[in-house]
């Protein structure tokens, strides 16, 4: 069977959402339908899954990159297998210290995104080349706890994972033994 025959077979069915602690069946069905529509239309996941399967079949790795966007909410991107890599001295993904993705953008956009690196970028490339596309690297380390961006030898920026909500969860409780646990019930 050819790859283009297998991909529709793998991606034809929309996954059934799993909803827990739903009080009645009518609400369950409405939530399920909304999630299916959002999966298919809002996030265009069937086409992304086809692209993911192609990448996996050709390059032996498929990568979906999830991120949070304040304007659009939850976003999913397929990263081509040629643009990603992992710690070269690791023997498995579990012991990889970092992963990386090659990215491209104009120098002007990089300056807008990383204003702290403007002086170094202009010094290295000059003001007349700000419209030029440049290849830079996005590194994720320590199992996604931090991210940094590098253009040749210039560190553009670094930060804790921007997709993580660092506000403390108020729905945790500490029992009489000092153990902290998550409460998923509402109290009056």
């Amino acid at each position: 069977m050819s790859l283009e025959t297998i991909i529709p077979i793998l991606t034809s069915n929309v996954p059934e959402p799993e909803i827990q602690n739903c009080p009645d069946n009518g609400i369950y069905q409405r939530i399920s339908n909304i999630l299916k529509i959002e999966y298919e239309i809002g996030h265009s996941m069937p086409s992304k899954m086809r692209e993911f399967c192609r990448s996996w079949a050709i390059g032996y790795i498929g990568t979906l990159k999830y991120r949070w966007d304040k304007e659009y909410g939850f976003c999913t991107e397929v990263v081509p297998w040629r643009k990603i890599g992992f710690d070269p001295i690791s023997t498995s993904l579990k012991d990889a210290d970092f992963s990386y993705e090659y990215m491209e953008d104009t120098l002007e956009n990089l300056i807008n995104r990383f204003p702290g690196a403007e002086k170094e970028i202009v010094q290295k490339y000059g003001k007349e080349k700000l419209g030029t596309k440049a290849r830079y690297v996005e590194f994720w380390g320590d199992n996604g706890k931090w991210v940094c961006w590098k253009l040749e030898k210039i560190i553009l920026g670094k930060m804790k994972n921007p997709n993580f909500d660092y506000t403390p969860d108020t729905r945790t409780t500490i029992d009489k033994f000092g153990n902290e646990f998550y409460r998923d019930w509402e109290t009056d």
Side-chain angles (χ1 to χ4, degrees):
M1 232 187 271
S2 75
L3 178 61
E4 295 304 318
T5 304
I6 294 171
I7 287 176
I9 295 168
L10 294 173
T11 61
S12 62
N13 293 331
V14 174
E16 188 67 33
E18 185 176 318
I19 303 166
Q20 298 177 355
N21 301 330
C22 194
D24 73 23
N25 207 16
I27 293 174
Y28 175 89
Q29 193 59 44
R30 283 190 295 181
I31 292 172
S32 178
N33 289 340
I34 289 168
L35 289 173
K36 285 180 185 178
I37 290 168
E38 188 62 24
Y39 177 88
E40 286 186 90
I41 298 166
H43 290 284
S44 305
M45 287 304 289
S47 66
K48 290 177 183 174
M49 291 308 293
R50 286 190 290 274
E51 189 179 345
F52 170 84
C53 288
R54 257 184 219 97
S55 178
W56 169 72
I58 295 169
Y60 300 107
I61 188 166
T63 306
L64 292 174
K65 183 177 181 181
Y66 299 102
R67 63 181 174 82
W68 179 257
D69 186 296
K70 289 180 183 177
E71 189 175 328
Y72 300 107
F74 189 66
C75 298
T76 306
E77 301 167 1
V78 179
V79 181
W81 63 273
R82 291 182 186 99
K83 291 188 171 189
I84 62 168
F86 302 94
D87 181 359
I89 61 170
S90 65
T91 56
S92 71
L93 286 176
K94 290 180 182 178
D95 70 345
D97 288 335
F98 62 88
S99 61
Y100 59 90
E101 176 186 355
Y102 291 114
M103 305 178 92
E104 284 185 358
D105 208 345
T106 63
L107 294 172
E108 185 176 13
N109 287 344
L110 288 177
I111 288 172
N112 291 335
R113 188 169 172 203
F114 306 104
E118 178 178 8
K119 182 181 173 186
E120 291 177 88
I121 293 172
V122 171
Q123 183 180 356
K124 181 165 178 79
Y125 296 99
K127 283 199 179 261
E128 64 280 351
K129 292 191 177 181
L130 293 183
T132 306
K133 272 199 169 185
R135 188 177 196 185
Y136 65 103
V137 183
E138 179 180 81
F139 289 95
W140 287 85
D142 201 13
N143 282 331
K145 290 183 182 170
W146 58 265
V147 61
C148 76
W149 298 268
K150 185 178 174 187
L151 173 66
E152 293 185 19
K153 293 185 179 187
I154 302 169
I155 301 294
L156 299 170
K158 56 185 175 180
M159 63 176 21
K160 288 167 68 173
N161 186 340
N163 302 308
F164 184 75
D165 182 12
Y166 290 99
T167 57
D169 189 353
T170 57
R171 297 186 298 171
T172 58
T173 301
I174 298 176
D175 66 9
K176 64 182 179 180
F177 303 107
N179 300 319
E180 184 177 15
F181 61 94
Y182 178 78
R183 323 182 252 126
D184 61 352
W185 67 87
E186 295 297 320
T187 58
D188 295 328

